[in-house]
Amino acid sequence: MSSQNTVTPSDKALQARRRFLREMAGAAGGACMLALGVGMVGREASAKPAMAIRPPGALAEPDFLSACVRCGLCVRDCPYDTLKLSELGDNVAVGTPYFTARDIPCEMCEDIPCVKACPTGALDRELTDIGEARMGLAVLIDHETCLNFLGLRCDVCYRVCPVIDQAITLELVHNPRSDRHAMLLPTVHSDACTGCGKCEKSCVLPESAIRVLPHKLAQGQSAEHYRKGWAEKEKAGGSLIGEQEQLPMRGLEDREYGDTRVTPDYQPAKPGGLDSGWKP
Amino acid sequence: MNTAATTNNVATERSAKRSRASTQPGAEAVRVKGRLRANKWLLLRRISQFGILALFLVGPWFGWWIVKGNLSSSLTLGVLPLTDPYLLLQSFSAGQLPYQEALLGGGIVLAFYLLFGGRLFCSWVCPVNLVTDAAAWLRRRLNIKGGKTPSAYTRYWLLAFTLGASALTGSLAWEWVNPVSMLHRGLIFGFGLAWGVVLAVFLYDLLFASRGWCGHVCPVGAFYGLLGSGALIRVTADKRRACDDCMDCFNVCPEPQVIRPALKAVGQDHPLILDKDCTSCGRCIDVCGKDVFRLTTRFDRSES
């Protein structure tokens, strides 16, 4: 009995070890749960909403999130107060810079001060020509309210575009409503659009019909194997399958291939009523 | 019966005194040294904390751009870059190599805390310290006891896990929730719901865990603690023979376990507090009516 009561040094050490291990397990478990929770918050929050556009030169979103230290130096050096740091609850990765084009668009400074200010390279200094920036892509998102699509002459988005006639062009299309006017449709070209958002900002509608969206939302992607026949033909300097055989068309020998004009003696079918008189 | 009542009285008086001492440590120091000297290090610390905050704020408030950015990374007077090395570590883990400016800034900060003491950041710079100090003060004042304080090792595990999570998710994992950067960024750039996170830390320290956040959970503090484990500036209990066991230092110390080895010579002979968890806040120096403690270097092991 006495031997049970005496605590030998090895017992003490054993107890201390047990306590240490228990404490460590608790700490590791708690920390793991916390880290897991953080990971889940992060995963959810890393989905960038469509209205939040990154500053020029921003790395691709996953790289950006690992490089940006949320210091706000880009925000401070932006002369137009375009950039904001996201706050908790803004839906953008907390503390990272973004801008809302409809509020304040990017003015596309030639010296790109925000990129220069970034100490980590989350905004890539390889970008020296602001025309090469791809912050997002403008999309004429609503064809129903856009005034030009209604056949009117608004053109504001086209005229404010810093890359006018390259990023946005006006495409002439027949107006089927009046049948005698043209519609000049603002058309965005992804190879020139920087995503500055001036078009979205200046759209005269209460809700902008043209919007800058992240590329992921704005653009599709061609399949790897997809080839455009006309592009391949141009590249090869001629048709890849040789000259096409021109097959004789009986009764149409005096016409070019593909000529679909009707013959002068052609009589269109009379409009049919209940009894059109048609017989097989 | 009379004697029993007297002893009972004495006992209640003593316990009342003890509870008053624990709710208001430093009362004796105020009597002996005067209010100012009994709060000297606290005042200096507050000046440092608010001064640093002010340096960051005079830019956005008055347009005097002395310091741009925030504690995560900043640029002082357009030349001196400073970057949080723990953030850089997360960035490395996530697979990024930042620009030289950030590396240089991180190096400067790293060198400073390596040399002088990692947890100087916690007590002299970190804005959350104001929150947790307030919680600790209120906890003493309201005499809130109990709760479940997690193991002090939690922070080191969390430090490791945040770096692991950064590597796994490819982002700065801890920055999704970090109350330190959230509070500082919020004060400078504007709050969203980050108030909630800061409030949560306050309530956690107040109601659930005494000195729970800074002393047991925060991986930023853990990182700076590890950084400063060999640093110069240390607190010594060189007049420990004058100690009358009033426990005031234990009551105010955010990391009270660091005092015992030095003050009571448990596991070491010299009176120097060498534990990496010591934040060198100097509060023990303030509240001690016997002037047991003082600030010194790690080489000064003298005892008087």
Side-chain angles (χ1 to χ4, degrees):
Chain A
M1 194 175 148
S2 65
S3 69
Q4 268 184 342
N5 280 345
T6 40
V7 181
T8 61
S10 69
D11 275 348
K12 218 174 182 178
L14 200 68
Q15 269 177 11
R17 194 158 66 213
R18 276 195 189 136
R19 196 172 58 239
F20 177 76
L21 285 174
R22 197 164 53 231
E23 210 169 54
M24 276 306 212
C32 187
M33 292 297 283
L34 206 57
L36 215 67
V38 169
M40 267 147 71
V41 170
R43 180 163 285 266
E44 209 156 286
S46 59
K48 185 160 60 100
M51 303 309 285
I53 304 298
R54 296 287 184 210
L59 302 175
E61 191 68 7
D63 284 333
F64 182 79
L65 286 180
S66 59
C68 171
V69 293
R70 287 87 160 140
C71 66
L73 284 171
C74 55
V75 176
R76 291 299 183 222
D77 279 10
C78 172
Y80 298 99
D81 286 337
T82 300
L83 296 175
K84 285 194 298 184
L85 282 193
S86 87
E87 295 163 6
L88 196 64
D90 274 354
N91 256 334
V92 188
V94 60
T96 55
Y98 72 100
F99 68 96
T100 309
R102 189 65 164 165
D103 295 341
I104 310 177
C106 173
E107 293 286 343
M108 289 176 62
C109 313
E110 265 178 42
D111 53 343
I112 331 180
C114 53
V115 171
K116 280 186 184 160
C118 178
T120 64
L123 306 182
D124 194 350
R125 285 184 196 159
E126 297 280 298
L127 178 75
T128 48
D129 172 10
I130 189 66
E132 299 295 317
R134 293 292 177 269
M135 296 169 261
L137 182 62
V139 178
L140 202 132
I141 208 161
D142 190 354
H143 292 189
E144 293 178 330
T145 51
C146 171
L147 296 178
N148 275 33
F149 264 79
L150 295 177
L152 304 164
R153 291 297 306 275
C154 166
D155 308 353
V156 172
C157 58
Y158 161 77
R159 295 198 183 277
V160 298
C161 177
V163 208
I164 186 170
D165 280 326
Q166 293 172 57
I168 303 183
T169 55
L170 292 178
E171 299 296 318
L172 244 71
V173 172
H174 172 69
N175 184 343
R177 184 182 58 79
S178 70
D179 206 26
R180 66 196 66 206
H181 296 95
M183 298 196 294
L184 288 89
L185 307 184
T187 307
V188 180
H189 302 274
S190 65
D191 56 339
C193 174
T194 62
C196 71
K198 299 198 89 168
C199 53
E200 179 177 339
K201 169 68 182 170
S202 58
C203 177
V204 299
L205 300 175
E207 288 282 346
S208 185
I210 189 166
R211 292 179 192 188
V212 174
L213 302 177
H215 281 270
K216 200 169 164 54
L217 273 178
Q219 267 182 315
Q221 189 185 25
S222 294
E224 284 279 316
H225 62 271
Y226 189 78
R227 299 281 182 274
K228 291 171 186 151
W230 59 92
E232 296 301 319
K233 185 175 173 182
E234 199 170 323
K235 210 159 64 185
S239 173
L240 294 169
I241 52 173
E243 282 308 305
Q244 284 181 54
E245 195 75 14
Q246 203 149 324
L247 297 170
M249 285 168 287
R250 243 163 287 153
L252 298 166
E253 283 83 357
D254 55 335
R255 292 204 209 165
E256 287 289 311
Y257 178 73
D259 188 346
T260 55
R261 281 174 301 172
V262 292
T263 47
D265 55 338
Y266 169 74
Q267 292 285 319
K270 293 221 168 66
L274 272 179
D275 180 15
S276 67
W278 181 84
K279 287 190 178 66
Chain B
M1 191 183 134
N2 209 358
T3 34
T6 323
T7 41
N8 213 3
N9 264 351
V10 169
T12 44
E13 209 171 85
R14 202 176 284 157
S15 83
K17 192 176 169 191
R18 198 180 302 134
S19 89
R20 197 162 49 242
S22 65
T23 52
Q24 267 176 300
E28 193 203 340
V30 171
R31 221 168 31 245
V32 177
K33 303 195 279 193
R35 189 160 287 279
L36 199 64
R37 255 197 70 215
N39 288 297
K40 174 181 153 193
W41 290 104
L42 183 65
L43 286 172
L44 287 174
R45 223 151 49 76
R46 295 289 179 252
I47 290 170
S48 162
Q49 287 165 334
F50 284 111
I52 289 167
L53 206 54
L55 282 177
F56 280 100
L57 281 171
V58 291
W61 285 0
F62 306 111
W64 305 332
W65 292 106
I66 302 166
V67 185
K68 276 182 189 173
N70 57 28
L71 285 178
S72 303
S73 191
S74 64
L75 191 63
T76 304
L77 295 171
V79 285
L80 175 70
L82 295 172
T83 306
D84 186 341
Y86 173 48
L87 263 172
L88 288 183
L89 207 58
Q90 287 180 67
S91 201
F92 291 145
S93 304
Q96 290 289 330
L97 185 67
Y99 283 156
Q100 273 183 5
E101 265 162 83
L103 295 177
L104 180 66
I108 295 170
V109 174
L110 202 69
F112 178 85
Y113 289 114
L114 268 173
L115 193 62
F116 295 107
R119 296 207 67 196
L120 282 177
F121 172 81
C122 299
S123 55
W124 292 78
V125 180
C126 180
V128 175
N129 179 271
L130 293 163
V131 176
T132 57
D133 267 2
W137 176 83
L138 198 61
R139 194 180 166 87
R140 274 197 303 273
R141 257 354 210 359
L142 300 176
N143 209 3
I144 299 172
K145 293 273 190 290
K148 177 91 180 90
T149 306
S151 161
Y153 292 112
T154 308
R155 52 183 153 184
Y156 299 110
W157 284 108
L158 197 55
L159 177 61
F161 280 127
T162 55
L163 296 178
S166 293
L168 271 175
T169 61
S171 74
L172 311 183
W174 189 241
E175 292 314 298
W176 294 109
V177 293
N178 189 354
V180 176
S181 48
M182 261 184 205
L183 176 56
H184 200 247
R185 199 169 47 233
L187 288 169
I188 295 165
F189 289 92
F191 278 100
L193 301 173
W195 274 117
V197 176
V198 177
L199 186 69
V201 168
F202 178 80
L203 292 177
Y204 176 68
D205 266 26
L206 179 68
L207 303 174
F208 294 101
S210 166
R211 290 290 183 175
W213 178 261
C214 297
H216 299 79
V217 181
C218 180
V220 182
F223 172 80
Y224 279 103
L226 291 173
L227 201 65
S229 53
L232 269 180
I233 295 178
R234 304 274 64 172
V235 175
T236 178
D238 66 332
K239 279 194 230 154
R240 58 188 174 187
R241 266 176 244 150
C243 172
D244 63 354
D245 295 319
C246 72
M247 298 296 283
D248 278 1
C249 57
F250 285 95
N251 274 321
V252 292
C253 182
E255 302 274 1
Q257 78 281 4
V258 309
I259 299 178
R260 221 160 77 90
L263 189 65
K264 298 294 164 198
V266 180
Q268 71 178 41
D269 293 329
H270 58 84
L272 204 59
I273 296 176
L274 283 177
D275 197 305
K276 62 183 181 304
D277 291 343
C278 173
T279 66
S280 303
C281 69
R283 196 71 189 119
C284 56
I285 308 174
D286 280 347
V287 297
C288 182
K290 306 288 179 199
D291 274 332
V292 168
F293 301 94
R294 72 186 164 83
L295 220 53
T296 183
T297 68
R298 70 183 298 112
F299 307 112
D300 174 17
R301 299 196 169 181
S302 64
E303 192 177 340
S304 57

